């Protein structure tokens, strides 16, 4: 082995690697045709050699740098092992056992968990931490019921909008100050801009991946997977079996995509199928309308009961949970009805079934969210409540928490009990399949509530982050123990793109509309929150710009505000530019597809 690299012994190889730069050493070790265990042994020997040389010859500052490098490598290794422990192995097992269709749900859930971690860090750093410096301890006692209702003790904490001050925070006399009004509105505004860019970038990235794998016939996919994709560095028996299952599943999906069965129906059969589809759509839309009507009247009744007051605390706590429980119950039970309708329609491919089910669920959930937003912005905001923003934040907190509980119950009743029934009572049912459409829409619904609630409860992304983390492992255990792989294996090249597109439109764009109305149109409460006493939340920015106009050094900020931010022409130009670039890229993609098709025909001929 060592003669292949021009060295007489292993010591010579280690000494040569120790004398080169870190990047070159990493690349050299990676290119060695050896097992991972052997590569790790060589790397450890090289690091020991470097440490030995630094002790004998290096000055004290060099030793400090070497120690920092070792500490950095330890941190990177620990982070890598943490990632491997939590995600990598789990996702590989799911992909090998259940295919890419089920794997796409867990990849999407992991992506949304990372998004909420980012959201929590931004809000906690720029909104919550400064408020801690100026806050006074709450005098209310903690009873435990607040964990479910979000009221009581939590009402006088940084969890809700009403607790934040409208003053300028300054802990040192004549020192730097922190304007809470500007920090609150700019943090939320910049966060949504960053989310907009993240969603666009993610859609573009996944669409690019889909384009490279758009046609499995264009490349010798199956042949390359059989002869060219095996990783010979894998020596562990469990890893070998897992890799075999993964390749087996991928080849089955590719073959299913290539050998699509085209069914020819008679005229009568087509008429019957169309009639069944129409009846299913009428039933699903009618169910969604009935659910939205019930939620609207329940929310109105809920506000009247809240304003009248209650005889005791237990009655008050119970009444607060009626609306979120009913909403979560509808969002849990009706999707099962939609799945049953999909089975009656007998779609030709599993992809059609999933996409139709997702469309019906998105209509239901977005309609319910729209009714709730109308209730919050048109009824609660105009009521005589002292702090309507905190009430909205509490409502959203309860909806998020109860939805999380129902998500866990859905795994129990929808998958665990279904497995018990299918294996003991009614053997013909068998094991259930993982419902991708229903579970994906649960995630999008939860994230929509979190986005809406950020303005009224800045720490809501932290709560959702914990919920998604628990859901990931609960769903993983439920999938492994209760579900069977899809009966019809199929490749889901565009699944992640579709998920993020649904998260972007209508979810994210709808949230932007709600936030825009709240910031520009609604009058804040007079007695609570950072914007108390103002005509609107956005008035804080206008007042700040008026102050800056008196300072010569800040003229550029005033110019940007008047000529860019508050100018409709600027946003019209930006929109036109984005549409033009999108059209150009779309034409480039179509041209590449045509070229790939022509090259494939030339190869075949």
């Amino acid at each position: 082995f060592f003669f292949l690299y021009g060295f007489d012994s292993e010591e010579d190889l280690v000494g040569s690697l120790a004398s080169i730069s870190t990047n070159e050493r990493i690349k050299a070790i990676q290119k060695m045709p050896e097992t991972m265990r052997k590569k790790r042994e060589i790397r450890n020997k090289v690091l020991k050699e470097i440490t030995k040389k630094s002790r004998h010859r290096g000055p004290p500052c060099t030793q400090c740098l070497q120690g920092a490098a070792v500490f950095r490598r330890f941190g990177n290794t620990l982070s890598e092992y943490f990632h491997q422990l939590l995600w990598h192995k789990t996702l590989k097992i799911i992909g090998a056992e259940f295919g890419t269709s089920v794997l796409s749900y867990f990849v999407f859930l992991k992506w949304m968990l990372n998004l909420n971690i980012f959201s929590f860090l931004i809000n906690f750093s720029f909104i919550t931490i400064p408020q801690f410096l100026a806050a006074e301890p709450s005098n209310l006692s903690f009873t435990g019921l607040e964990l479910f209702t979000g009221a009581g003790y939590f009402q006088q904490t940084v969890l809700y909008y009403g607790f934040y001050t409208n003053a300028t925070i300054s802990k040192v006399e004549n020192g730097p100050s922190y304007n809470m009004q500007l920090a609150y509105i700019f943090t939320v505004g910049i966060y949504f801009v960053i989310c907009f860019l993240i969603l666009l970038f993610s859609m573009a990235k996944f669409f690019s991946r889909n384009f490279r794998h758009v046609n499995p016939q264009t490349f010798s996919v199956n042949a390359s997977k059989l002869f060219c994709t095996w990783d010979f560095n894998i020596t562990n028996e469990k890893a070998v079996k897992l890799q075999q299952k993964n390749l087996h599943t991928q080849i089955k999906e590719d073959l299913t995509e290539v050998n699509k069965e085209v069914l020819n129906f008679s005229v009568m059969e087509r008429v019957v199928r169309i009639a069944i589809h129409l009846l299913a759509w009428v039933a699903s839309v009618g169910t969604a309308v009935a659910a939205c009507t019930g939620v609207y009247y329940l929310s109105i009744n809920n506000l009247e009961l809240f304003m009248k007051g209650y005889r005791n605390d237990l009655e008050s706590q119970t009444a607060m949970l009626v609306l979120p429980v009913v909403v979560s119950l509808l969002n849990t039970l009706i999707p099962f009805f939609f799945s049953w309708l999909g089975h009656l329609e007998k779609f030709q491919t599993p992809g059609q079934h999933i996409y139709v089910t997702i469309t019906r669920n998105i209509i239901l959930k977005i309609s319910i969210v729209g009714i709730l937003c109308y209730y919050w912005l048109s009824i609660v905001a105009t009521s005589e409540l002292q702090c309507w923003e905190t009430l909205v934040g509490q409502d959203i907190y309860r909806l998020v928490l109860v939805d999380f509980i129902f998500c866990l119950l859905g795994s129990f009743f929808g998958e665990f009990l279904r497995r018990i029934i299918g294996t003991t009572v009614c053997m013909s049912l068998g094991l259930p399949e993982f419902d991708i459409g229903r579970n994906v829409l649960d995630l999008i619904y939860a994230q929509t509530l979190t986005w809406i609630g950020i303005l009224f409860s800045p720490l809501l992304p932290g709560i959702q982050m914990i919920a998604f983390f628990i859901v990931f492992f609960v769903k993983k255990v439920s999938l492994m123990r209760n579900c069977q792989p899809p009966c019809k294996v199929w490749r889901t090249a565009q699944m992640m793109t579709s998920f993020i597109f649904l998260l972007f439109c209508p979810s994210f764009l709808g949230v932007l509309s709600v936030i825009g109305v709240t910031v520009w149109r609604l009058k804040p409460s007079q007695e609570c929150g950072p914007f108390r006493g103002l005509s609107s939340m956005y008035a804080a920015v206008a007042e700040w710009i008026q102050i800056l106009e008196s300072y010569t050094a800040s003229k550029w900020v005033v110019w940007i505000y008047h000529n860019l931010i508050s100018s409709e022409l600027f946003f019209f130009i930006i929109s036109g530019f984005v549409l033009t670039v999108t059209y150009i890229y779309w034409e480039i993609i179509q041209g590449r597809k045509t070229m790939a098709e022509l090259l494939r025909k030339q190869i075949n001929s």
Side-chain angles (χ1 to χ4, degrees):
F1 164 73
F2 303 108
F3 291 104
L4 294 176
Y5 294 93
F7 300 102
D8 296 331
S9 63
E10 184 177 358
E11 288 76 11
D12 295 336
L13 175 62
V14 171
S16 176
L17 292 174
S19 62
I20 61 179
S21 64
T22 303
N23 291 333
E24 293 177 352
R25 181 168 63 251
I26 292 174
K27 292 180 181 179
I29 295 176
Q30 287 178 344
K31 291 180 181 179
M32 291 180 180
E34 286 292 324
T35 63
M36 292 299 296
R37 180 180 298 176
K38 185 63 177 178
K39 290 181 180 180
R40 290 193 185 98
E41 291 178 358
I42 295 174
R43 183 194 62 184
N44 293 334
K45 291 180 180 180
V46 172
L47 294 177
K48 289 181 180 179
E49 182 69 19
I50 294 174
T51 305
K52 186 187 300 182
K53 290 180 179 179
S54 65
R55 288 176 180 174
H56 292 292
R57 295 182 300 178
C61 60
T62 305
Q63 294 180 6
C64 295
L65 292 175
Q66 292 292 341
V70 172
F71 181 76
R72 185 170 60 253
R73 283 194 297 269
F74 173 75
N76 293 336
T77 304
L78 187 64
S79 175
E80 179 182 353
Y81 281 134
F82 183 74
H83 173 77
Q84 295 275 348
L85 178 65
L86 288 181
W87 312 118
H88 186 70
K89 185 177 180 180
T90 299
L91 295 178
K92 287 193 68 173
I93 293 174
I94 293 173
E97 296 286 346
F98 297 89
T100 57
S101 57
V102 178
L103 177 63
S104 62
Y105 165 79
F106 288 89
V107 174
F108 183 59
L109 176 54
K110 175 178 172 287
W111 185 88
M112 292 184 65
L113 175 59
N114 293 331
L115 180 65
N116 279 278
I117 293 175
F118 167 74
S119 307
F120 171 74
L121 291 177
I122 286 183
N123 289 349
F124 188 76
S125 301
F126 296 100
I127 298 179
T128 305
I129 291 180
Q131 179 61 35
F132 273 130
L133 301 177
E136 297 180 358
S138 176
N139 296 323
L140 299 177
S141 59
F142 181 76
T143 62
L145 290 175
E146 291 88 345
L147 292 174
F148 298 96
T149 64
Y153 176 82
F154 287 150
Q155 189 168 347
Q156 299 298 325
T157 62
V158 293
L159 182 60
Y160 295 118
Y161 164 94
F163 184 73
Y164 289 82
T165 181
N166 63 336
T168 299
I169 301 174
S170 179
K171 300 300 289 184
V172 181
E173 187 176 356
N174 298 327
S177 59
Y178 196 83
N179 192 319
M180 200 62 194
Q181 290 182 342
L182 298 179
Y184 202 101
I185 194 168
F186 280 137
T187 300
V188 174
I190 293 174
Y191 164 73
F192 277 109
V193 172
I194 294 175
C195 281
F196 179 81
L197 297 177
I198 289 175
L199 290 171
L200 286 182
F201 175 78
S202 300
M203 281 193 294
K205 182 180 70 174
F206 286 110
F207 182 79
S208 176
R209 292 180 184 177
N210 297 340
F211 172 73
R212 291 197 298 267
H213 304 285
V214 67
N215 190 353
Q217 294 179 346
T218 305
F219 312 98
S220 300
V221 177
N222 299 321
S224 65
K225 286 181 179 177
L226 282 173
F227 301 109
C228 305
T229 61
W230 184 260
D231 188 358
F232 289 94
N233 288 324
I234 300 176
T235 58
N236 184 271
E237 184 178 356
K238 292 183 178 180
V240 169
K241 292 182 179 180
L242 182 62
Q243 183 72 358
Q244 289 175 345
K245 287 184 178 181
N246 206 342
L247 290 175
H248 178 259
T249 304
Q250 291 180 20
I251 292 173
K252 284 175 63 178
E253 292 175 351
D254 292 331
L255 290 176
T256 304
E257 190 75 12
V258 172
N259 302 322
K260 282 185 178 180
E261 183 181 1
V262 179
L263 301 177
N264 295 320
F265 298 102
S266 63
V267 177
M268 189 61 187
E269 289 175 337
R270 291 180 181 177
V271 171
V272 172
R273 289 178 63 86
I274 292 174
I276 292 175
H277 290 320
L278 289 176
L279 289 175
W281 274 105
V282 169
S284 59
V285 173
T287 304
V289 171
C292 292
T293 304
V295 170
Y296 174 75
Y297 285 107
L298 180 62
S299 60
I300 299 297
N301 186 54
N302 182 71
L303 180 64
E304 292 178 355
L305 291 175
F306 182 81
M307 296 182 68
K308 287 180 180 178
Y310 302 91
R311 289 174 297 178
N312 54 66
D313 290 338
L314 181 61
E315 185 179 352
S316 173
Q317 303 286 345
T318 305
M320 288 180 181
L321 294 172
V322 172
L323 178 62
V325 167
V326 171
V327 171
S328 298
L329 196 62
L330 293 174
N331 281 326
T332 301
L333 296 180
I334 294 179
F336 284 106
F337 173 66
F338 289 164
S339 297
W340 178 73
L341 288 178
H343 288 297
L344 289 182
E345 293 176 276
K346 296 181 180 179
F347 292 99
Q348 295 187 30
T349 62
Q352 293 177 354
H353 183 190
I354 288 179
Y355 284 123
V356 170
T357 303
I358 286 177
T359 303
R360 290 168 180 168
N361 285 332
I362 202 73
I363 291 174
L364 169 70
K365 294 179 182 292
I366 295 300
S367 300
I368 290 178
V369 172
I371 292 296
L372 291 173
C373 289
Y374 174 80
Y375 158 67
W376 291 325
L377 303 185
S378 299
I379 300 176
V380 177
T382 58
S383 63
E384 299 178 357
L385 295 170
Q386 292 183 353
C387 192
W388 64 267
E389 294 93 345
T390 296
L391 177 61
V392 173
Q394 291 174 356
D395 277 345
I396 299 177
Y397 171 89
R398 288 189 286 267
L399 285 168
V400 168
L401 183 65
V402 175
D403 178 73
F404 165 68
I405 295 173
F406 271 77
C407 182
L408 301 182
L409 292 177
S411 296
F412 178 78
F413 290 101
E415 295 165 1
F416 174 71
L417 290 185
R418 170 67 172 78
R419 175 179 69 87
I420 298 298
I421 294 173
T423 54
T424 58
V425 179
C426 185
M427 304 291 289
S428 59
L429 292 177
L431 294 175
E433 293 186 14
F434 189 78
D435 194 336
I436 302 173
R438 176 174 58 84
N439 285 282
V440 166
L441 265 297
D442 287 342
L443 298 180
I444 295 178
Y445 169 76
Q447 186 60 44
T448 304
L449 291 177
T450 303
W451 275 333
I452 296 173
I454 281 178
L455 192 63
F456 309 102
S457 179
L459 295 184
L460 200 58
I463 298 172
Q464 195 63 269
M465 172 186 68
I466 298 172
F468 281 160
F469 187 82
I470 297 174
V471 166
F472 184 93
F473 289 99
V474 170
K475 291 293 182 181
K476 176 244 181 181
V477 172
S478 178
L479 175 72
M480 294 297 181
R481 295 183 178 273
N482 301 323
C483 300
Q484 64 174 339
C487 296
K488 295 182 179 180
V489 182
W490 57 295
R491 191 170 63 92
T492 57
Q494 298 179 351
M495 188 67 83
M496 275 298 297
T497 308
S498 302
F499 292 165
I500 297 180
F501 177 78
L502 288 174
L503 187 63
F504 179 76
C505 178
S507 176
F508 183 75
L509 295 183
V511 170
L512 288 183
S513 302
V514 173
I515 297 297
V517 171
T518 306
V519 171
W520 271 275
R521 297 292 183 183
L522 297 183
K523 185 177 181 179
S525 299
Q526 296 293 325
E527 301 179 5
C528 70
F531 304 101
R532 66 190 76 174
L534 299 178
S535 59
S536 67
M537 295 183 182
Y538 189 73
V541 179
E543 292 181 358
W544 178 60
I545 294 297
Q546 290 179 358
I547 296 174
L548 291 180
E549 289 178 350
S550 59
Y551 297 96
T552 306
S554 304
K555 290 293 184 183
W556 62 276
V557 179
V558 178
W559 185 89
I560 291 176
Y561 173 79
H562 288 296
N563 295 277
L564 298 182
I565 298 178
S566 61
S567 173
E568 294 83 358
L569 179 61
F570 172 73
F571 289 100
F572 177 78
I573 294 173
I574 290 294
S575 301
F577 176 76
V578 171
L579 291 175
T580 303
V581 172
T582 303
Y583 174 75
I584 292 174
Y585 272 97
W586 178 262
E587 288 296 326
I588 292 174
I589 290 171
Q590 295 301 318
R592 289 179 178 176
K593 286 183 179 180
T594 304
M595 182 61 67
E597 184 66 22
L598 291 175
L599 292 174
R600 187 179 68 83
K601 290 181 179 179
Q602 291 178 7
I603 293 172
N604 292 335
S605 61

